[in-house]
């Protein structure tokens, strides 16, 4: 029997059910009826919250990006910090977020990397770029004014940072997921994060040891294994 609930609670249930179905059978194969049956709502209740499956997709993609980009925004708002400190705060806070949302994040990672969910993956990426690029760009501009970052391409560097963020964390996710079967991945991760750290320092034009990327990433390994 259907029981009336607060609108936001019901909306979240629909989104959670849709995400589970995207994980199980893929976005293209999931129908609105599948979502309705999974949640146990009427069609009228579903259409009160969402006009279409595409709107569910847009909402999930936006929420995932907003959660991650909120970490950027928190660091950018630290007015008493210089640009380099803000970059390192983002790196540290992002790893903390990754540890706290481990199960959800791994499931989303698997969802986004299924070939049948490419549309969702693209939407998430577009939102990362749209929401995250201005925040990172502002920090880079601050660094240029401070004389900390040596680049004439602040806009392109902000765009690169978002690409870098997605690729790096995707690679680390895959290695962490396989740790039980391949414990040697720990050494691979250590090497890769040290490389990423060095590469980002060179791109920003800062001295070695300025970017603290490896340590926060390696800390989450203990959390993941625990």
């Amino acid at each position: 029997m259907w029981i009336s609930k607060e609108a936001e609670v019901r909306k979240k249930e629909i989104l959670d059910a849709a995400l589970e179905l995207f994980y199980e059978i893929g976005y293209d194969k999931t129908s609105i009826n599948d979502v309705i049956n999974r949640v146990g709502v009427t069609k009228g209740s579903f259409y009160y919250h969402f006009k279409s499956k595409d709107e569910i997709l847009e909402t999930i993609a936006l929420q995932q990006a907003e959660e991650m980009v909120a970490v950027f925004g928190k660091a950018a708002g630290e007015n008493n910090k210089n640009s380099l400190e803000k970059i390192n705060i983002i790196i540290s806070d992002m790893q903390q977020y990754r540890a706290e949302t481990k199960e959800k994040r791994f499931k989303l990672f698997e969802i986004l990397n299924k070939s049948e969910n490419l549309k969702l993956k693209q939407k998430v990426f577009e939102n990362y770029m749209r929401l995250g690029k201005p925040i990172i760009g502002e920090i880079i501009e601050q660094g240029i004014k401070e004389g900390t970052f040596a680049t004439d391409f602040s806009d392109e560097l902000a765009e690169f940072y978002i690409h870098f963020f997605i690729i790096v964390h995707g690679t680390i996710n895959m290695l962490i997921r396989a740790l039980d079967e391949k414990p040697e991945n720990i050494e691979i991760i250590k090497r890769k994060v040290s490389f990423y750290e060095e590469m980002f320092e060179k791109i920003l034009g800062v001295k070695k040891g300025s970017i603290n990327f490896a340590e926060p990433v390696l800390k989450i390994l203990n959390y993941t294994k625990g």
Side-chain angles (χ1 to χ4, degrees):
M1 180 178 179
W2 180 76
I3 301 173
S4 178
K5 293 188 178 182
E6 293 291 336
E8 286 305 310
V9 174
R10 180 62 73 191
K11 183 176 181 178
K12 183 178 184 304
E13 288 181 343
I14 293 171
L15 290 170
D16 289 345
L19 197 60
E20 287 290 334
L21 287 163
F22 296 165
Y23 176 71
E24 293 169 12
I25 62 177
Y27 172 78
D28 289 337
K29 292 180 181 178
T30 298
S31 68
I32 288 177
N33 282 335
D34 289 331
V35 178
I36 288 171
N37 292 334
R38 177 64 63 91
V39 182
V41 296
T42 63
K43 283 191 176 181
S45 178
F46 175 90
Y47 284 110
Y48 172 80
H49 295 288
F50 299 102
K51 296 176 183 178
S52 64
K53 190 174 74 168
D54 277 350
E55 188 174 349
I56 292 179
L57 179 81
E58 295 280 355
T59 304
I60 291 174
L62 180 59
Q63 286 184 346
Q64 297 305 321
E66 284 177 337
E67 284 186 18
M68 302 291 273
V69 171
V71 178
F72 298 173
K74 181 182 175 183
E78 297 276 358
N79 295 327
N80 61 329
K81 304 293 184 182
N82 63 41
S83 54
L84 194 54
E85 288 172 327
K86 288 181 180 181
I87 291 291
N88 281 318
I89 289 171
I90 288 175
I91 293 169
S92 179
D93 287 355
M94 187 58 67
Q95 302 320 309
Q96 182 63 35
Y97 170 82
R98 282 162 53 80
E100 291 172 353
T101 60
K102 179 182 65 172
E103 295 303 325
K104 176 183 177 182
R105 182 170 47 81
F106 281 164
K107 180 169 284 190
L108 179 65
F109 174 75
E110 291 190 5
I111 291 171
L112 295 180
N113 281 280
K114 290 185 178 221
S115 59
E116 57 266 38
N117 292 327
L118 290 178
K119 190 172 182 180
L120 176 59
K121 184 175 184 177
Q122 181 61 29
K123 288 293 182 182
V124 171
F125 170 76
E126 288 172 0
N127 282 309
Y128 280 150
M129 189 63 71
R130 179 174 61 84
L131 299 174
K133 182 180 172 182
I135 298 173
I136 299 300
E138 180 181 315
I139 296 173
I140 292 170
E141 287 287 350
Q142 178 186 344
I144 293 171
K145 290 176 182 176
E146 293 169 346
T148 305
F149 301 152
T151 179
D152 295 323
F153 303 98
S154 59
D155 188 67
E156 289 78 9
L157 184 53
E159 189 173 298
F160 172 82
Y161 184 92
I162 303 299
H163 284 285
F164 174 83
F165 161 80
I166 293 170
I167 293 170
V168 167
H169 289 293
T171 301
I172 293 172
N173 276 343
M174 286 190 292
L175 291 167
I176 291 176
R177 288 293 273 172
L179 268 177
D180 288 341
E181 296 79 22
K182 297 180 178 180
E184 66 273 15
N185 278 2
I186 291 179
E187 295 305 316
I188 297 173
I189 292 170
K190 288 179 180 179
R191 180 174 176 82
K192 285 189 180 296
V193 295
S194 294
F195 166 73
Y196 297 143
E197 186 175 88
E198 181 179 303
M199 182 181 72
F200 201 51
E201 287 170 344
K202 289 180 178 178
I203 290 171
L204 288 174
V206 296
K207 66 181 181 179
K208 187 173 178 59
S210 296
I211 300 295
N212 187 15
F213 181 71
E215 182 183 352
V217 172
L218 294 175
K219 277 184 179 178
I220 125 174
L221 290 178
N222 291 329
Y223 181 92
T224 302
K225 293 186 292 180

